[in-house]
């Protein structure tokens, strides 16, 4: 394993910077997720780490060594793409063996390594098949086995789970995390799926327009978003924002509850809320409504866990409340988090 760093890393395509001066430092053995909307530059950044894209400016360091102008094979990294990029005409065995055979490793050593990687991912019985005879989840495991077989110091993964159905994604996520923990290989993982990012990352770098908006643990970015972009990108439904003079007050849907749900004596701020829609999701109810807030009325969403059984009906008005400590403040002009509570 190794550290991965970028210094002022920039990629310019035509008129715009797809990656705009990124300084990033991934620790040894860390699972770092690059998260952001489509087009924010995640893949371009990953491809520059891999050596598949030449930076317009800045540097990439792996294990403290500048590798900016080294080709991919000289970087000791392994990349897994969304498409898995398996060779369709080769068996699973030969797909996994490919990177070893390409560097001239003797056959018996190759066989031992393939065996080891296949058992790690539980795919020994698939070795004779061709990729088209595999399910999406099995293909993903083959791609990962091919990635680990060379003992890379860094894994670079670009949305490797996005072709899997929802159920398989959850189990594949769990598997992937276990492999990464067991191997201890530094991993950079690209996704636009915040649930995946929250579940997998030791830290998450939230990207927008080629820049890092925030780098922090999943709980940091969820509870202490650096700006309104992060606040509304992370969380589903996103953080509610309400105007109050020169600031925006932010609060998570699960923190806006009917006031009876709070213990008496708890310090809360109350607001009347007119309910426009109720969605039953099983474990939760989502209440869509208009908050008759200090300033203009604001559309908000409240998430009630099923253990709060207070009846809520569309078209009616209720008293909702928030704990003062669950309110976050952002500058209305810049969107940046304000440290102090405004008066
Ligand atoms: P997605 O989640 O949709 O894959 P992304 O965050 O990975 O998006 P990138 O693929 O890195 O985004 O693209 C970042 C920006 O750079 C986009 O505006 C894209 O159109 C542009 N871009 C990417 N590759 C090229 C290229 N080869 N030539 C010109 N523009 C490009």
């Amino acid at each position: 394993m190794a550290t991965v760093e970028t210094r002022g890393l920039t990629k310019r395509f035509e008129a715009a910077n797809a990656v705009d001066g990124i300084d990033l430092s991934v620790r040894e053995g860390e699972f770092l997720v690059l998260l952001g909307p489509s087009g924010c530059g995640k893949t371009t950044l990953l491809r520059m780490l891999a050596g598949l894209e030449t930076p317009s400016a800045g540097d990439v360091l792996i294990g403290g060594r500048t590798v900016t102008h080294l080709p991919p094979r000289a970087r000791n990294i392994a990349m897994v793409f969304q498409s898995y990029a398996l060779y369709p005409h080769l068996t699973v065995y030969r797909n996994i063996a490919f990177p070893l055979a390409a560097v001239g490793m003797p056959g018996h050593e190759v066989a031992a390594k393939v065996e080891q990687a296949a058992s790690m991912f539980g795919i020994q019985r698939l070795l004779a098949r061709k990729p088209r005879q595999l399910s999406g989840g099995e293909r993903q495991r083959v791609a990962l086995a091919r990635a680990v077989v060379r003992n890379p110091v860094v894994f670079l993964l670009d949305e490797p789970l996005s072709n899997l159905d929802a159920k398989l994604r959850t189990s594949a996520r769990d598997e992937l995390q276990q492999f990464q923990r067991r191997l201890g290989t530094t991993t950079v993982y690209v996704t636009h799926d915040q649930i995946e990012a929250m579940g997998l990352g030791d830290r998450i770098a939230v990207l927008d327009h080629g820049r890092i908006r925030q780098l922090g643990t999943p709980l940091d970015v969820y509870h202490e978003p650096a700006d309104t972009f992060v606040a509304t990108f992370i969380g589903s439904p996103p953080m509610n924002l309400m105007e109050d003079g020169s600031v925006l007050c932010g609060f998570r849907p699960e923190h806006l509850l009917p006031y009876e749900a709070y213990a008496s004596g708890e310090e809360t701020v109350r607001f009347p809320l007119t309910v426009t829609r109720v969605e039953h999701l099983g474990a939760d109810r989502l209440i869509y409504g208009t908050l008759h807030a200090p300033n203009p009325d604001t559309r908000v969403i409240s998430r009630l866990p099923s253990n709060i059984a207070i009846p809520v009906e569309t078209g009616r008005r209720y008293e909702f409340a928030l704990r003062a400590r669950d309110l976050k403040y952002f500058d209305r002009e810049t969107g940046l988090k304000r440290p102090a509570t405004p008066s």
Side-chain angles (χ1 to χ4, degrees):
M1 54 176 153
T3 56
V4 177
E5 290 163 81
T6 69
R7 299 199 182 143
L9 197 63
T10 300
K11 180 70 187 184
R12 196 173 177 78
F13 289 120
E14 292 144 21
N17 284 344
V19 172
D20 196 5
I22 285 191
D23 295 310
L24 180 66
S25 183
V26 190
R27 301 168 186 146
E28 262 187 24
E30 184 173 26
F31 198 121
L32 184 112
V33 177
L34 301 177
L35 173 69
S38 184
C40 71
K42 311 177 289 289
T43 297
T44 306
L45 174 55
L46 198 76
R47 287 173 57 82
M48 288 195 281
L49 300 181
L52 297 168
E53 199 82 67
T54 310
S56 312
D59 276 307
V60 177
L61 290 84
I62 295 180
R65 185 171 69 116
T66 302
V67 299
T68 318
H69 298 290
L70 294 184
R73 67 189 135 72
R75 299 187 182 201
N76 202 11
I77 47 106
M79 188 150 172
V80 176
F81 301 91
Q82 182 179 349
S83 63
Y84 309 141
L86 298 176
Y87 301 108
H89 57 291
L90 298 183
T91 60
V92 168
Y93 181 96
R94 291 191 56 206
N95 262 286
I96 301 173
F98 193 86
L100 303 176
V103 294
M105 186 180 279
H108 65 278
E109 277 181 43
V110 171
K113 292 245 180 207
V114 172
E115 189 54 41
Q116 190 191 5
S119 79
M120 181 184 294
F121 292 92
I123 51 173
Q124 298 97 315
R125 66 191 173 82
L126 306 176
L127 288 172
R129 293 205 204 160
K130 299 274 176 65
R132 72 184 136 74
Q133 299 166 306
L134 303 175
S135 72
E138 288 165 345
R139 268 181 227 158
Q140 185 218 353
R141 275 179 249 161
V142 175
L144 289 168
R146 184 177 59 179
V148 304
V149 83
R150 283 183 303 133
N151 296 330
V153 294
V154 177
F155 285 138
L156 302 175
L157 307 177
D158 192 355
E159 309 231 12
L161 308 184
S162 56
N163 290 337
L164 309 182
D165 65 41
K167 193 168 165 218
L168 196 55
R169 260 176 109 118
T170 311
S171 62
R173 199 160 73 207
D174 180 46
E175 249 177 50
L176 185 65
Q177 191 167 47
Q178 287 184 32
F179 292 132
Q180 197 270 346
R181 293 269 179 270
R182 200 174 332 140
L183 295 169
T185 309
T186 311
T187 300
V188 183
Y189 184 102
V190 162
T191 184
H192 63 269
D193 179 338
Q194 43 134 345
I195 309 266
E196 217 166 89
M198 295 288 290
L200 281 170
D202 291 320
R203 286 189 301 163
I204 301 175
V206 184
L207 267 73
D208 179 40
H209 289 98
R211 297 193 179 172
I212 295 181
R213 292 289 194 124
Q214 188 170 6
L215 174 63
T217 63
L219 291 181
D220 271 348
V221 294
Y222 188 80
H223 290 296
E224 299 298 336
D227 58 24
T228 51
F229 176 82
V230 178
T232 52
F233 189 73
I234 304 255
S236 176
M239 185 177 270
N240 295 298
L241 293 174
M242 178 172 75
E243 277 180 28
D244 187 5
S246 65
V247 296
L248 290 169
C249 301
F251 48 93
R252 293 281 175 203
E254 62 271 28
H255 292 148
L256 177 66
L257 303 175
Y259 89 96
E260 310 96 287
Y262 288 99
S264 58
E266 240 182 321
E267 206 179 310
T268 57
V269 192
R270 286 207 214 171
F271 299 100
L273 179 133
T274 302
V275 175
T276 52
R277 194 153 73 92
V278 180
E279 242 174 46
H280 293 274
L281 301 180
D284 303 309
R285 261 184 302 170
L286 294 185
I287 314 296
Y288 294 76
T290 307
L291 205 58
H292 307 290
N295 277 332
D297 288 351
T298 309
R299 296 181 67 80
V300 293
I301 305 175
S302 146
R303 179 202 288 278
L304 305 186
S306 58
N307 62 349
I308 298 181
I310 300 167
V312 177
E313 287 169 30
T314 303
R316 296 190 54 179
R317 194 169 157 136
Y318 300 88
E319 282 290 295
F320 270 61
L322 287 161
R323 281 191 203 100
R325 65 177 153 94
D326 290 329
L327 278 166
K328 309 291 166 196
Y329 298 95
F330 304 94
D331 188 286
R332 222 176 111 184
E333 294 290 313
T334 63
L336 294 176
K337 187 178 170 187
R338 283 197 169 190
T341 310
S343 55

